[in-house]
Amino acid sequence: MKRVTHEPAYVLHHYDWSESSLIVEAFTRGHGRMALVAKGAKRPSSNFRPVLLPLQPLLLSWGGEGEIRTLKGAEWGGGLVMPTGDALLSGYYANELLLKLLAREDAHPRLFDAYAALVHVLASPDAELLGAAALRAFELLLLRHTGHLPALDVQTLTLAPVQAGARYRLVIEGGLRAAHGDDAVWLAGTAWRALASALQDDAAFSTTLQAVAGWPAGEQARLRQQLRELLHYHGGGSTLRTRQLMLDLQRLKIRSTAP
């Protein structure tokens, strides 16, 4: 019986296992996405109950074999408060992306570090200012680490270098290509090359965040749409629950402010 102790982790989701227990989907630094049964976690007296919260750094211990392991211990890693408002929804959105795109027990330590950095931004006073750019940086790194992001400094089909003054678009199953005249969504070659350089940096998350945060709102919106199309496709094609919730809340805000 293999035992893992004090593994850095975050809870992505949990659901009922029995009358008193939960299955916890956790993202761990050294072991990837894990399914863990937390026995008795629903009981009021359980030590797990106040700890197994999303968007909080944890140290988890587990044992056993098979697809679902047994959670033995959970400790709060400290240092963060829970994000609120739109930042909380953004965190849930990132969690859902990880559940959709990551295979179980496939470790991605650098992606874990990027996720931890994203959570830190969302829990900080800068969440309103930097939250959107932080999400774009995380989406890019998630696509890259799962093998779904093409090189951003060359055209995928021809391997021709991206030209600074030309327009390019990310296309599902086609990679990066020159934008057609009727393409409403594209980015200039300078932007794609800046992203390619930032993603190669040792501190890829923070460097990419800084690059995107400096763009005008229109460029950020066009990047968001292209990344969402790729994520939607590689996540199985179904609308994310958190994405639908965000859209519903936006509609409610529009109705509440209408004359």
Side-chain angles (χ1 to χ4, degrees):
M1 181 178 292
K2 185 178 179 181
R3 182 73 179 260
V4 176
T5 59
H6 296 98
E7 173 69 15
Y10 287 86
V11 170
L12 300 178
H13 179 61
H14 60 69
Y15 53 89
D16 291 345
W17 173 250
S18 67
E19 223 174 272
S20 61
S21 301
L22 296 171
I23 295 292
V24 176
E25 291 278 2
F27 184 29
T28 72
R29 192 176 193 279
H31 300 266
R33 184 163 71 90
M34 299 292 300
L36 307 169
V37 57
K39 295 182 178 179
K42 293 165 67 177
R43 294 176 184 145
S45 60
S46 172
N47 291 330
F48 290 142
R49 191 180 178 95
V51 178
L52 295 177
L53 300 173
L55 307 175
Q56 292 292 294
L58 303 175
L59 297 173
L60 300 183
S61 301
W62 67 83
E65 297 178 353
E67 185 178 356
I68 300 176
R69 314 297 170 84
T70 301
L71 186 65
K72 300 293 186 181
E75 302 173 21
W76 183 52
L80 291 180
V81 296
M82 182 71 77
T84 59
D86 290 343
L88 179 61
L89 286 177
S90 295
Y92 286 150
Y93 165 75
N95 287 358
E96 195 170 357
L97 287 179
L98 289 169
L99 288 168
K100 289 275 189 182
L101 272 74
L102 287 187
R104 281 191 179 151
E105 299 188 52
D106 184 15
H108 294 278
R110 295 192 69 181
L111 181 60
F112 179 91
D113 293 343
Y115 174 82
L118 169 66
V119 172
H120 189 273
V121 171
L122 295 177
S124 75
D126 295 327
E128 185 174 354
L129 179 64
L130 297 177
L135 271 183
R136 301 296 82 76
F138 176 73
E139 289 169 340
L140 282 161
L141 286 163
L142 176 57
L143 286 166
R144 183 186 179 204
H145 282 280
T146 53
H148 300 311
L149 187 71
L152 300 181
D153 53 0
V154 297
Q155 298 184 59
T156 303
L157 295 181
T158 65
L159 298 182
V162 166
Q163 301 299 315
R167 299 175 177 182
Y168 299 91
R169 195 200 198 300
L170 268 179
V171 180
I172 294 169
E173 293 192 338
L176 192 67
R177 63 159 172 80
H180 298 154
D182 58 349
D183 281 332
V185 181
W186 50 267
L187 288 174
T190 50
W192 290 118
R193 284 161 55 172
L195 289 177
S197 176
L199 290 169
Q200 294 296 327
D201 194 87
D202 289 340
F205 176 83
S206 60
T207 306
T208 307
L209 185 161
Q210 290 169 12
V212 175
W215 292 0
E219 287 191 17
Q220 292 192 38
R222 293 199 297 272
L223 175 62
R224 179 184 66 224
Q225 184 169 338
Q226 293 173 84
L227 295 181
R228 292 281 168 84
E229 289 173 1
L230 261 66
L231 291 163
H232 179 76
Y233 177 79
H234 292 297
S238 59
T239 302
L240 297 178
R241 294 180 181 179
T242 45
R243 176 66 180 154
Q244 187 60 54
L245 179 58
M246 288 177 186
L247 293 173
D248 292 342
L249 288 173
Q250 287 172 2
R251 292 190 192 102
L252 285 173
K253 287 179 182 178
I254 293 172
R255 289 176 186 172
S256 65
T257 57

